[in-house]
Amino acid sequence: MEPGSDLDHRGTSFTEDLLTQVLDAVRDPGTRRPLLGTARFDAARFLGDADFDGAHFRREVGFEQAVFNGTARFTATTFSGDAQFERARFSEARFGDARFDGDAWFGEARFAGEARFDRARFSGHARFGLAGFSGNAAFDGPRFLGNIGLQGAVFGGHAWFDGARFESDTRLGPLVCAGSLDLSSVVFAAPVVIEAAAGKMWCTRTRWEAKAVLRLRYATVDLGEAVLAHPLSITAQAVPFKDRTGTDHTEDALPEDGLDGRDARVRMASLRGVDTAHLVLHDVDLTHCLLSGAVHLDQLRLEGDCPLALPPAGVLRRGRIPMRWTTRRTLAEEQHWRAAQGYGAWTAAPTDVEVLEPSALAPLYRQLRKSFEDGRNEPDAADFYYGEMEMRRHDRKRPRGERALLTLYWAVSGYGLRASRALAWLLGAMAATVLVMMLWGVPKAVPDTATGASATGRGTSQAGGTADPVDPGGPLARRLTSERFERSVRVVINSAVFRSPTQSLTTVGTYAEMLSRLVEPVLLGLAALAFRGRVKR
């Protein structure tokens, strides 16, 4: 037998010694590499390790339904023709630095242990449809010039594609990964569709050089420092993915082993360092998402239900002071900052995450507010305006006068967004004004125009004009009558709402009415502004 000869060992059982003898017979004297032509090992059984390291298959090679009881070693192996490993069974597989010049077929193959394809090169199509990986699968640094098919593939452990490069239109999935699906530092040079149910998904420093669509289940996604040159949409898949690889055209749901019982929602962990101008999120949970360092947040599109963290519910105490937080959407970074300030029930920052100051958080809220306003979503933009104003109020780098003004604005009306607070102040101010009017503002009697009420010793004299109001006298408690209450209410309503002309009041009542004309319409306007902000189209 000479180097480059064809081999046909279908159904053969190989010990390690027997396989060594077969490969030595076709070993090239110059390169010391096994050189084979067409090789058929279909249904062969390798009882020990199968060492094909450095071999060169010049034509088609078949390992269909082959069984590898030991480690299958194909490190630095060259497959010049198609390589067929369909329905093969591997204990452990090593394809590091392998070169597939034709198509690589691993459909329905089973990998019981670790499978490694580090730095492999796939010039043709790479087919892993319905493949099962019980252990970890490592595709670190390979290059895919053709399409890669992972339809129906199941990864029981982690799947690493760190540093891989995809040159052609790619569709990854639908697949299931019980561990982490790592796409860090991957380059997608062509459009890609990824459909995956995975525990975690790492896309740090990933380069998306063409349009990309991600449909996910269960995954916590980290997009930190990713490069988005074209639109990227991430959508939460509500129902399990369908298996469309069957020949009978049936679409059964993919089994989600290892993920059953978990929350199927998709969560975003980080957008740090990402230019979000091309990013669209559909139904993605942003409760713990880190946004600091992201660029163009004002162009980020959030569609569907994209919840953020909420303040603690109920009445809490900080020391002896009871506090109740208003309901609104907050950033994870604000949660971290408030927890660091000693506010209870807020989410503390992880140990490796820096706690940012309010001066750094206000611009984040401002950009998100602009994103919603540009999308004509004024009511939801109000939450981000509230967050921006809160951060400005707590920013100790700002002048005290500005912070005092913001504190007053917050206390009176919640920055013009809390109608109940403004109405409460309005009712309180009106009640206080009514009480002042009853006690000191409403005169003792309504003055009449004098028609001749001045008596002298020689008779009477007529005098025109209006008499001055008479201050009420007697104990204060006796002034709280129903008649004076009705007159006081009429005065306050006319002054605050209907703006009627000044009425006859005592000096104290005149000044009280002037103050109510100034304060109460402002409070009424703030309440109307808050209502408008919540119902504006």
Side-chain angles (χ1 to χ4, degrees):
M1 189 176 296
E2 298 178 354
S5 299
D6 295 341
L7 297 180
D8 190 346
H9 290 281
R10 283 176 277 201
T12 303
S13 294
F14 287 93
T15 63
E16 293 185 20
D17 291 339
L18 179 57
L19 179 60
T20 300
Q21 293 176 14
V22 171
L23 296 180
D24 284 345
V26 294
R27 196 174 298 275
D28 189 325
T31 62
R32 301 304 299 165
R33 299 175 59 187
L35 182 62
L36 301 91
T38 300
R40 305 303 307 184
F41 292 91
D42 304 321
R45 180 177 291 274
F46 299 88
L47 304 179
D49 291 347
D51 189 352
F52 289 89
D53 287 348
H56 182 189
F57 296 91
R58 297 196 300 178
R59 288 186 288 275
E60 179 181 294
V61 57
F63 287 88
E64 294 185 32
Q65 300 185 44
V67 177
F68 297 86
N69 291 340
T71 302
R73 302 182 186 278
F74 290 88
T75 303
T77 300
T78 300
F79 300 89
S80 296
D82 290 349
Q84 299 176 355
F85 289 87
E86 293 178 304
R87 296 182 297 281
R89 300 293 184 266
F90 298 89
S91 293
E92 290 190 10
R94 300 286 185 268
F95 287 87
D97 296 298
R99 177 171 177 173
F100 298 87
D101 294 334
D103 294 340
W105 299 86
F106 288 87
E108 299 184 62
R110 293 293 181 266
F111 299 85
E114 188 178 46
R116 304 201 68 91
F117 292 83
D118 303 329
R119 299 173 303 281
R121 178 187 175 95
F122 296 86
S123 298
H125 301 313
R127 303 301 189 191
F128 289 86
L130 296 178
F133 300 83
S134 299
N136 296 329
F139 292 82
D140 292 344
R143 187 172 183 181
F144 298 91
L145 302 182
N147 294 328
I148 177 173
L150 287 168
Q151 293 86 347
V154 177
F155 298 87
H158 303 298
W160 298 302
F161 289 83
D162 193 1
R165 183 178 181 90
F166 297 86
E167 300 286 355
S168 301
D169 292 1
T170 302
R171 189 180 191 94
L172 297 180
L175 61 87
V176 176
C177 181
S180 300
L181 179 60
D182 192 348
L183 300 177
S184 298
S185 301
V186 171
V187 177
F188 291 99
V192 60
V193 176
I194 300 176
E195 296 178 318
K200 293 183 179 179
M201 187 170 181
W202 302 99
C203 297
T204 55
R205 300 178 302 279
T206 302
R207 293 184 61 87
W208 310 86
E209 297 181 353
K211 181 180 179 180
V213 176
L214 276 61
R215 302 187 186 98
L216 307 174
R217 286 173 57 78
Y218 301 100
T220 298
V221 185
D222 189 340
L223 273 179
E225 300 181 16
V227 178
L228 280 57
H230 290 269
L232 168 64
S233 67
I234 301 178
T235 303
Q237 177 83 7
V239 297
F241 294 107
K242 301 294 184 180
D243 175 15
R244 302 182 179 90
T245 60
T247 57
D248 56 356
H249 303 291
T250 59
E251 294 187 358
D252 297 328
L254 280 177
E256 297 178 336
D257 297 337
L259 297 172
D260 294 337
R262 299 187 191 182
D263 189 350
R265 290 182 300 171
V266 176
R267 301 168 178 82
M268 186 64 64
S270 174
L271 290 175
R272 285 185 163 184
V274 179
D275 187 341
T276 61
H278 295 296
L279 182 60
V280 182
L281 302 179
H282 301 260
D283 300 327
V284 176
D285 190 341
L286 302 175
T287 300
H288 301 288
C289 180
L290 300 178
L291 296 175
S292 58
V295 182
H296 292 144
L297 281 174
D298 57 325
Q299 299 180 43
L300 172 65
R301 289 177 56 190
L302 302 180
E303 300 183 357
D305 183 18
C306 294
L308 283 89
L310 298 177
V315 178
L316 305 175
R317 288 186 176 273
R318 190 187 184 194
R320 297 183 178 181
I321 303 176
M323 306 182 71
R324 181 181 180 276
W325 301 99
T326 183
T327 302
R328 62 183 175 91
R329 289 184 288 184
T330 64
L331 300 184
E333 286 89 345
E334 182 184 349
Q335 294 267 336
H336 301 164
W337 174 77
R338 289 194 182 275
Q341 298 300 309
Y343 295 100
W346 290 80
T347 304
T351 55
D352 58 340
V353 175
E354 178 186 2
V355 177
L356 301 180
E357 294 298 320
S359 58
L361 299 182
L364 299 180
Y365 277 112
R366 187 180 306 117
Q367 292 184 67
L368 288 173
R369 171 177 61 85
K370 185 177 184 300
S371 174
F372 276 72
E373 290 176 346
D374 291 344
R376 312 303 298 171
N377 188 354
E378 300 284 352
D380 288 339
D383 278 352
F384 299 108
Y385 173 72
Y386 194 103
E388 177 190 352
M389 299 298 284
E390 276 286 273
M391 295 301 99
R392 290 175 57 188
R393 181 168 71 91
H394 288 287
D395 184 4
R396 297 185 179 277
K397 298 177 183 178
R398 293 185 176 273
R400 290 186 178 181
E402 178 182 347
R403 294 177 58 203
L405 181 62
L406 290 174
T407 301
L408 178 62
Y409 193 22
W410 163 77
V412 169
S413 65
Y415 309 114
L417 297 174
R418 300 295 181 259
S420 59
R421 195 176 303 180
L423 289 175
W425 279 102
L426 174 61
L427 293 177
M430 294 179 68
T433 306
V434 168
L435 182 61
V436 171
M437 289 295 180
M438 292 178 66
L439 295 177
W440 301 287
V442 176
K444 185 175 182 179
V446 179
D448 296 326
T449 302
T451 58
S454 177
T456 64
R458 299 179 181 179
T460 62
S461 64
Q462 301 294 326
T466 302
D468 293 333
V470 179
D471 292 336
L476 295 179
R478 299 185 62 181
R479 303 178 192 178
L480 302 177
T481 63
S482 58
E483 178 184 358
R484 293 179 63 80
F485 174 76
E486 180 183 357
R487 292 171 59 188
S488 300
V489 169
R490 220 179 312 129
V491 169
V492 172
I493 293 179
N494 285 333
S495 299
V497 181
F498 300 107
R499 313 292 287 174
S500 299
T502 304
Q503 305 174 61
S504 295
L505 301 170
T506 65
T507 301
V508 174
T510 300
Y511 283 107
E513 184 194 31
M514 292 171 59
L515 184 61
S516 70
R517 282 177 176 268
L518 175 64
V519 174
E520 291 166 8
V522 172
L523 295 174
L524 184 61
L526 290 174
L529 179 64
F531 279 118
R532 175 59 175 164
R534 288 301 180 184
V535 300
K536 185 177 181 181
R537 296 178 58 185

